[in-house]
Amino acid sequence: MSTRPASLDRPSEQVLELPGPAGAVDLSCALVYPNRHGLGMANLGFQAVFALLSGLPGSLCHRAFSDYPRTVEAGRALRDYDLVALSLSFEGDYPEALRLLAAGGVALRSEARGSRDPFVLGGGVAVTLNPEPLAPFLDAVFLGEAEAGLLPLHAFLRDHRGLPRPELLEALADARVPGVYVPSRYDVAEADGRVLSRRPQGKAPETVARRWAECPWDPARTRISTPDDAFQGAYLLEISRGCPHACRFCAAGHATRPARFLPLETLEPFLRLGAREVGRLGLVGAAVSDHPRFKELAEAILDLGAGFTVSSFRAENLDEEVLALLARGGLKTLTVALEAGSERLRRRLGKEIGRDDVLRAARLAAGAGLHRLRIYAMVGLPGEADEDLGALAELATEARSALGGGTVTVSAAPFVPKAHTPFQWETMAPEPLLRSRIRLLEKLLGRRTAVRVVAETPKWSRVQGLLARGGRSIAPLLEQAAATGEWRAVLRSAEARAVLDRERDVDEALPWDVVTGGPSTEHLRRERAASLRGEPPVPCRPGRCSVCGVCPLPQGAPDDTSRSVCS
């Protein structure tokens, strides 16, 4: 362990575990998180890739952020590296990614780079869902989880360094390195927000399957701690990937399948490390409360004399014992994801949580000495009416009473349809409607004591929707906004409206169809139809079904893709 003090050009950091450089450098990499240092170091995917690249023989990896555009380790510009790897977890970071490339002396567009320029690679959940808005700017995209395939790509780039860029891209696409998508090797035609055609060149594959790690994998965790991260320096430890619940709006429940939970035995050494070096742990995963040994995990941390926290907890999984553990761990605010106020709308979303679950959670929280409750909800949902907002306000008020005092915060976010989910074909609500929904919720709760609304800005949610759902045709809009910061004109453009304001036909080609390895289109269509009927979703049950097409059919199981397979 070592501590790096802060300076004018270097943040304060504590190195907990990180492989050192190994031998002569064959390939140098700048790993870029296009946001603040504190946010980047709280991103476990970024930490995992940094550790992976730092530990390879002959590999040198340095980091850069929006507030440290020259690398933290060496103060060098991005143009000085062989490889610039962009960590892209959120669509809202795309403009800053382009600004950092430009500031680092790297040509924005792939077609303008030569053999002496860095190879620009994109990776992360956002571009795994839909790489197309960034296609003209990236030489390649790694689709999926780094542990499952980044090393062969690194070896390929090392072994082919110095090739003229067009030859390198052709060779990479033709080699069909698993999980690697080379956008320039596809001829794509788009018009009016529609994909007219997509044709691979040479031996490039028709589609590229995203990669995912088999269980158990080396868990992502805090390798370098910093006090300015979003979790105030807590030791973050990944305990699961994917989610078994299949909520129809949620990318984590679909595009990161299958649901996987790390064994306690795999996690124990890192529990000890976090307790010893930091004293407070953050358990990370899309389905933390579904870990089959969550109580044992919590008790192990407490027995080590450390505290712990979780980002949210499924209300259905709460009981007195769990609440007592959370309170002993130092949790101050209980967070539940309700998403919609009425039971009708929750059924359409595939949410299992009910009114009684929320009120029971509030009562249990009060009994454990917790008097702050946060409720996540969305506005602008498909099929939403004013009555649904009224039901949300009423339930929040009842929860405040069940809490027996304290405060209830309703965090309202505009619904953004995401790729590879059953709602990928839906339109996004226009900004005036989103604003009216938020105003209505604020009005309904405005006179309630200790119940408040915190809402995301509809404008930026529409920007997210554009970047999440667009194809290559919106790349010029992204480039324009990255240079000027002016998004209003972009959102008013015909190109943006064609992406945001049009319901997609379930049979039309979509920009992100080039990415496979998630739930099949047939499965998503079935789930969309089931949503309209108010039926529950098929949960993710690895090893017990093959309904969605991600997992192979279990040996000896019937080849049945009906909705009853997973029940």
Side-chain angles (χ1 to χ4, degrees):
M1 181 190 72
S2 63
T3 301
R4 297 170 174 167
S7 66
L8 291 177
D9 57 358
R10 192 162 187 165
S12 176
E13 297 182 328
Q14 180 182 5
V15 179
L16 302 178
E17 53 165 329
L18 197 66
V25 175
D26 297 320
L27 192 73
S28 63
C29 173
L31 179 62
V32 180
Y33 193 87
N35 211 311
R36 293 187 295 104
H37 170 265
L39 292 176
M41 297 311 293
N43 185 291
L44 286 188
F46 182 82
Q47 292 245 11
V49 172
F50 183 53
L52 194 65
L53 293 177
S54 296
L56 294 177
S59 175
L60 175 73
C61 188
H62 293 161
R63 297 164 294 147
F65 306 88
S66 61
D67 45 352
Y68 293 92
R70 300 180 74 87
T71 54
V72 169
E73 287 77 9
R76 293 164 59 187
L78 299 185
R79 65 173 175 270
D80 296 335
Y81 293 83
D82 301 315
L83 171 65
V84 172
L86 299 171
S87 178
L88 299 162
S89 297
F90 306 100
E91 295 89 356
D93 289 340
Y94 291 178
E96 185 62 18
L98 298 190
R99 287 190 285 266
L100 284 170
L101 288 177
V106 180
L108 281 187
R109 292 192 169 246
S110 174
E111 63 189 10
R113 299 183 199 120
S115 59
R116 295 179 179 273
D117 295 306
F119 187 96
V120 179
L121 173 69
V125 66
V127 287
T128 294
L129 288 170
N130 180 16
E132 292 304 274
L134 284 173
F137 311 110
L138 300 176
D139 293 316
V141 185
F142 182 78
L143 303 172
E145 299 169 4
E147 302 90 343
L150 189 56
L151 301 192
L153 171 59
H154 185 276
F156 185 97
L157 295 177
R158 178 197 63 210
D159 295 343
H160 293 80
R161 189 173 60 168
L163 274 182
R165 187 55 51 91
E167 293 181 25
L168 174 61
L169 297 177
E170 180 179 1
L172 179 58
D174 290 354
R176 299 192 175 197
V177 178
V180 177
Y181 171 50
V182 184
S184 64
R185 299 296 297 166
Y186 294 78
D187 296 319
V188 179
E190 298 177 359
D192 301 323
R194 291 174 168 82
V195 177
L196 305 180
S197 65
R198 180 188 293 109
R199 298 185 182 88
Q201 301 174 16
K203 299 177 183 178
E206 292 278 347
T207 60
V208 180
R210 58 111 188 171
R211 305 287 292 169
W212 51 273
E214 297 281 356
C215 192
W217 63 94
D218 187 28
R221 57 195 180 270
T222 298
R223 310 289 189 127
I224 300 176
S225 177
T226 179
D228 72 341
D229 73 19
F231 295 91
Q232 292 79 50
Y235 180 85
L236 304 180
L237 177 62
E238 172 189 44
I239 69 171
S240 68
R241 289 184 185 175
C243 178
H245 294 285
C247 300
R248 294 181 172 111
F249 60 88
C250 182
H254 290 86
T256 61
R257 288 188 176 194
R260 292 151 287 163
F261 299 92
L262 284 168
L264 181 58
E265 296 73 22
T266 299
L267 298 169
E268 281 175 335
F270 308 112
L271 300 181
R272 291 192 292 270
L273 175 63
R276 181 179 69 248
E277 299 294 347
V278 180
R280 188 165 63 92
L281 288 83
L283 303 181
V284 177
V288 167
S289 64
D290 288 288
H291 196 289
R293 300 179 70 180
F294 175 81
K295 292 180 181 179
E296 292 173 77
L297 267 171
E299 289 167 348
I301 296 169
L302 294 171
D303 288 345
L304 290 166
F308 72 94
T309 188
V310 297
S311 57
S312 66
F313 212 91
R314 293 188 71 87
E316 313 94 288
N317 294 341
L318 287 169
D319 58 32
E320 289 185 6
E321 184 181 0
V322 167
L323 256 303
L325 290 169
L326 293 172
R328 287 175 58 200
L331 187 71
K332 303 299 182 185
T333 301
L334 178 64
T335 301
V336 297
L338 180 65
E339 308 304 357
S342 69
E343 184 179 350
R344 175 193 65 82
L345 200 50
R346 288 195 296 273
R347 281 200 305 267
R348 185 165 181 181
L349 299 180
K351 290 293 293 186
E352 300 167 4
I353 186 174
R355 170 184 173 277
D356 291 343
D357 294 315
V358 175
L359 299 182
R360 175 174 164 274
R363 287 191 292 269
L364 288 170
L370 301 177
H371 296 288
R372 290 189 299 201
L373 176 68
R374 180 179 295 272
I375 297 173
Y376 286 140
M378 291 185 289
V379 297
L381 287 160
E384 182 184 77
D386 288 353
E387 292 76 14
D388 298 298
L389 277 297
L392 176 58
E394 181 180 348
L395 183 50
T397 303
E398 290 182 281
R400 168 64 170 71
S401 298
L403 199 60
T407 59
V408 173
T409 300
V410 177
S411 293
F415 164 69
V416 177
K418 287 299 181 81
H420 303 286
T421 72
F423 284 175
Q424 66 178 0
W425 294 281
E426 304 294 335
T427 186
M428 186 170 179
E431 188 173 335
L433 177 59
L434 293 172
R435 291 191 182 280
S436 70
R437 293 283 192 234
I438 292 170
R439 283 196 301 269
L440 174 59
L441 188 59
E442 290 171 337
K443 179 181 178 182
L444 291 169
L445 289 172
R447 299 185 181 91
R448 314 294 171 92
T449 303
V451 181
R452 66 191 185 106
V453 178
V454 177
E456 291 185 14
T457 307
K459 169 189 169 183
W460 291 113
S461 296
R462 294 269 293 179
V463 169
Q464 180 192 155
L466 176 65
L467 299 177
R469 297 168 57 71
R472 297 189 181 194
S473 61
I474 72 162
L477 301 179
L478 171 57
E479 191 170 8
Q480 170 192 332
T484 65
E486 177 47 61
W487 282 100
R488 282 290 178 201
V490 166
L491 292 174
R492 287 194 297 264
S493 68
E495 295 89 343
R497 292 198 304 272
V499 169
L500 291 168
D501 300 335
R502 182 179 64 86
E503 182 176 337
R504 315 292 175 97
D505 187 272
V506 293
D507 295 318
E508 75 174 85
L510 299 171
W512 48 88
D513 284 346
V514 71
V515 181
T516 60
S520 68
T521 301
E522 291 75 17
H523 175 74
L524 298 180
R525 288 192 188 111
R526 289 195 299 268
E527 281 295 314
R528 184 174 189 252
S531 166
L532 295 172
R533 297 191 297 267
E535 297 176 359
V538 174
C540 179
R541 296 289 183 260
R544 292 165 50 189
C545 84
S546 61
V547 166
C548 76
V550 170
C551 300
L553 189 70
Q555 187 173 4
D559 189 5
D560 181 7
T561 56
S562 71
R563 293 181 56 81
S564 63
V565 170
C566 292
S567 60

